[in-house]
Amino acid sequence: MNKFRLALIAAVFTLASSSAALAQAPLKIGYTSVEYVLSQMPESKQIESDLKAYSSQLEAQLKSKYSDYQAKAEAYQKGASTMTEVVRADKEKELTGLQTSIQEFQRSADQSLQQKQQTLLKPALDKLQKTIDVVAEENGYTYVLNSDGASPVLLHGPKEGDISDLVLKKMGVTPGAAAAAKVATPAATATPVVPASTKTKTKTKK
């Protein structure tokens, strides 16, 4: 029984000592700008180029659809007065369908472009995460925060806590002097859907 009590006391003392050691261990917090590091990585230029090319394809398809709509809308406006009621109604239905198709394609293009951006960025982000892990371990950082965003996680921090350049150097990239810059997302929907001046008007009987 005495041996059991001594063992229990020793275990409690060891646990207390370990807790005290953990409490006394220094907490080192670093931060980095993911946007800045990404903009400095060689992959960023290829990502931007591929994204721009993909955006151009979507925009070309959108413009083609819009041109088709414009041509048919103009033909309808010029010949509406000579059309029979049945033909006129059919043309109006066709133009309305084209308008809907353009709007749906525009929404789909926006989503597709975002998905493409995420796909292109994933390998670079995975590489960045692994490098941050290595830098944090090598330099004794307990936590690493991201200082980007409209509501950044980091509200204040000393310059020496910024590990962005350490991460870049670990990847073999020489940090640039430029400020942080996002990998821009090209606009895939610059062409308006249907200008007010060419909208199909609903026919009213006289």
Side-chain angles (χ1 to χ4, degrees):
M1 183 65 71
N2 290 334
K3 289 183 179 180
F4 175 75
R5 287 180 179 177
L6 288 174
L8 182 60
I9 292 172
V12 172
F13 178 76
T14 301
L15 180 60
S17 298
S18 299
S19 300
L22 288 173
Q24 293 173 0
L27 186 65
K28 190 175 182 180
I29 300 176
Y31 63 93
T32 183
S33 167
V34 171
E35 292 179 356
Y36 165 73
V37 176
L38 280 175
S39 72
Q40 298 290 309
M41 291 170 65
E43 292 92 330
S44 66
K45 291 183 179 180
Q46 187 61 50
I47 291 172
E48 187 173 0
S49 176
D50 291 347
L51 199 60
K52 185 175 182 180
Y54 187 70
S55 174
S56 295
Q57 292 176 9
L58 294 175
E59 193 169 342
Q61 293 179 52
L62 181 62
K63 286 182 177 179
S64 176
K65 287 179 173 290
Y66 182 66
S67 294
D68 182 46
Y69 167 79
Q70 276 189 314
K72 291 182 179 181
E74 289 175 3
Y76 166 80
Q77 290 173 355
K78 289 179 180 179
S81 59
T82 60
M83 295 178 185
T84 63
E85 184 175 347
V86 174
V87 173
R88 190 183 300 113
D90 183 65
K91 292 296 182 182
E92 289 177 354
K93 183 178 180 180
E94 180 185 12
L95 289 173
T96 299
L98 287 174
Q99 285 180 325
T100 301
S101 175
I102 290 172
Q103 291 168 355
E104 289 178 349
F105 180 84
Q106 195 168 28
R107 285 192 292 270
S108 176
D110 288 339
Q111 296 175 357
S112 181
L113 189 61
Q114 290 177 3
Q115 292 174 355
K116 184 69 172 179
Q117 184 182 38
Q118 292 173 1
T119 300
L120 291 172
L121 281 173
K122 190 179 186 307
L125 289 173
D126 288 345
K127 177 182 177 181
L128 174 56
Q129 180 61 62
K130 290 179 181 178
T131 308
I132 288 175
D133 291 340
V134 173
V135 170
E137 290 176 4
E138 290 182 348
N139 294 272
Y141 286 97
T142 312
Y143 299 101
V144 175
L145 308 178
N146 181 15
S147 59
D148 296 329
S151 299
V153 174
L154 179 73
L155 298 179
H156 177 75
K159 176 60 182 173
E160 57 268 23
D162 188 349
I163 68 169
S164 299
D165 289 349
L166 289 176
V167 172
L168 286 169
K169 289 176 182 177
K170 176 61 66 175
M171 289 189 288
V173 179
T174 301
K182 292 182 179 179
V183 177
T185 303
T189 57
T191 305
V193 178
V194 182
S197 59
T198 58
K199 282 187 178 180
T200 306
K201 294 181 179 180
T202 305
K203 180 181 71 64
T204 55
K205 293 183 180 180
K206 294 182 180 180

